[in-house]
Amino acid sequence: MLSKRNLTILILALALAGGGYYAMSNSGDTESTKHSESDADAHGHENEAKPDHTEGGEHGHGDVDEHAHGEKEEHAHGGTSETGNASGEEEGGHEETKISENAVKNMNIEVLEVGSALVQETISVTGRVTLNQNTAAQVKARFPGVIRSVLKEPGETVKANDTLATVESNDSLQVYPVKSPVAGLVINRNASVGEVAGETPLFVVADVSKLWAELFVFSRDGEKIKAGQKVHIQCLDDDLITQADISVVLPTTEASSQTFVARAVIDNPDNHWRSGMNIRADVVIKEKEVPVAVKTDAIQRLEGNDVIFIQESGGTYKAQPVELGTSDETWTEIKSGLVTGQRYVANNSFVVKAEIGKAGAEHAH
């Protein structure tokens, strides 16, 4: 039997051994827990890093972004380039159009060949139409007296020696006829029955088949204007146009306007021209033959350039930029851009310009 003292010692020894085992067990569990948590953290960080890597942190995302952005940029730039080409074609389309033969006829488009022409250098002046004083007469009574009858009215045509009125002489008390010295038209009447005829003309009679164009020329152009030069005359208030030659240049200058008169004779067989009309005239001071010329009306402005519309095969009309030279109302010299023999729109070229503009607008939309 164990003594009480020995039993006590044994119990204490067992208690100490159990306590040590319990402490060691707790320490292992704690370290295991820490290790597990550490592993979990590490794996967690690895898991967090993997999404970064997958989303492209340095490689994946860069590849995706660069590829996507590159495709977008390439697609966008490629589209712009194609649009640029389309725009270039569009600009080319702006410069040409197709018009059928029937449309050309309906729109009165005239096509001519480029060739040589006589181009005139002119000076533009203004003026007025007057009676031709060489064929006009101011009819007076030969002797003072009382007007007994008036036989003709303004606008009536008379022959030479036709009686216009009768006058009773104050001296002889005889009635005598007042006759027209020229054939022509009664322009003015200043006679009434019962009035006294004296120095004042009773009638003005003129041959209006030939009138005068009096042109007012500035002194600075005096040396350029000479008798015999051609002149193109146009009425400012009507669409009357005619040609004449300068017959005389008057030697005096009008003080207030500092102009002198150059006179031309207008043929007026149909009486369309009337005395008093305001006119504009182009005096031809020089003429020259040019190898390449077009009708002046053919020239149009397109995108800041002077252009001529060239007729090509298949009913195509193309705008051709040109360099202009000497020009008059009918012809214009072409220094570059065209060659002899090319067919161009000479009349109603504005219609072709409108068709090109319309085609360009439709193409743009």
Side-chain angles (χ1 to χ4, degrees):
M1 291 287 295
L2 293 171
S3 65
K4 183 182 291 187
R5 183 169 175 260
N6 290 335
L7 184 59
T8 301
I9 294 169
L10 181 60
I11 291 170
L12 290 172
L14 290 172
L16 291 172
Y21 178 78
Y22 177 76
M24 289 179 62
S25 295
N26 286 339
S27 174
D29 290 341
T30 302
E31 288 178 6
S32 176
T33 301
K34 289 180 179 178
H35 182 69
S36 297
E37 289 178 356
S38 175
D39 288 345
D41 287 343
H43 286 294
H45 285 299
E46 289 177 4
N47 289 337
E48 288 178 3
K50 286 180 180 178
D52 287 343
H53 182 73
T54 303
E55 290 176 6
E58 291 179 3
H59 179 72
H61 181 65
D63 285 349
V64 173
D65 280 357
E66 287 174 9
H67 180 68
H69 185 63
E71 284 186 347
K72 289 180 181 179
E73 283 190 344
E74 287 177 7
H75 180 70
H77 286 299
T80 302
S81 177
E82 290 174 5
T83 304
N85 291 336
S87 175
E89 294 172 2
E90 201 170 287
E91 289 177 4
H94 284 176
E95 297 176 355
E96 63 181 40
T97 188
K98 287 191 175 182
I99 304 176
S100 67
E101 290 186 7
N102 288 336
V104 168
K105 292 179 181 178
N106 292 335
M107 293 187 288
N108 295 321
I109 295 174
E110 181 185 13
V111 178
L112 299 176
E113 284 191 0
V114 177
S116 62
L118 189 65
V119 180
Q120 300 174 334
E121 183 180 345
T122 62
I123 293 177
S124 293
V125 297
T126 59
R128 68 170 178 266
V129 178
T130 68
L131 293 176
N132 184 337
Q133 298 300 320
N134 294 332
T135 59
Q138 300 204 22
V139 184
K140 300 179 181 180
R142 288 180 295 161
F143 309 105
V146 178
I147 299 171
R148 293 305 182 187
S149 66
V150 177
L151 304 177
K152 298 297 181 180
E153 298 292 333
E156 289 190 61
T157 300
V158 298
K159 298 177 181 178
N161 293 322
D162 278 357
T163 299
L164 306 177
T166 59
V167 175
E168 180 183 333
S169 171
N170 290 337
D171 294 333
S172 64
L173 301 181
Q174 297 293 317
V175 176
Y176 66 91
V178 178
K179 295 184 178 183
S180 175
V182 297
L185 204 65
V186 177
I187 303 299
N188 188 26
R189 187 195 86 175
N190 190 30
S192 297
V193 174
E195 291 182 345
V196 176
E199 291 298 319
T200 303
L202 301 181
F203 296 89
V204 175
V205 179
D207 178 5
V208 295
S209 63
K210 291 185 181 294
L211 299 173
W212 280 351
E214 293 196 333
L215 312 177
F216 309 133
V217 183
F218 285 105
S219 297
R220 66 173 177 268
D221 296 322
E223 296 300 320
K224 301 176 183 177
I225 306 299
K226 296 177 175 59
Q229 290 174 328
K230 295 178 182 178
V231 57
H232 306 286
I233 302 170
Q234 179 179 358
C235 179
L236 293 179
D237 304 312
D238 204 336
D239 53 359
L240 295 173
I241 297 175
T242 191
Q243 294 188 17
D245 295 332
I246 292 180
S247 58
V248 64
V249 177
L250 299 187
T252 58
T253 297
E254 205 280 322
S256 61
S257 64
Q258 287 299 296
T259 60
F260 61 89
V261 172
R263 183 178 294 152
V265 178
I266 297 176
D267 288 327
N268 188 36
D270 299 323
N271 293 336
H272 291 157
W273 293 89
R274 297 176 183 274
S275 176
M277 283 182 167
N278 294 317
I279 58 175
R280 193 198 75 152
D282 294 319
V283 181
V284 179
I285 60 173
K286 187 185 298 183
E287 291 180 317
K288 70 173 182 177
E289 185 85 17
V290 296
V292 181
V294 298
K295 290 284 190 178
T296 300
D297 289 342
I299 302 167
Q300 295 289 335
R301 293 285 294 177
L302 187 64
E303 297 180 356
N305 297 314
D306 293 311
V307 299
I308 296 294
F309 297 113
I310 300 300
Q311 184 189 54
E312 297 185 336
S313 60
T316 299
Y317 292 83
K318 179 181 178 181
Q320 176 63 44
V322 293
E323 181 185 356
L324 306 181
T326 306
S327 178
D328 61 29
E329 288 190 352
T330 306
W331 296 101
T332 296
E333 177 187 11
I334 302 298
K335 290 187 173 181
S336 65
L338 297 179
V339 295
T340 301
Q342 284 184 294
R343 293 180 61 80
Y344 72 98
V345 178
N347 186 43
N348 282 347
S349 59
F350 65 90
V351 175
V352 180
K353 179 181 179 180
E355 288 296 314
I356 288 178
K358 184 167 65 176
E362 290 174 355
H363 194 67
H365 287 294

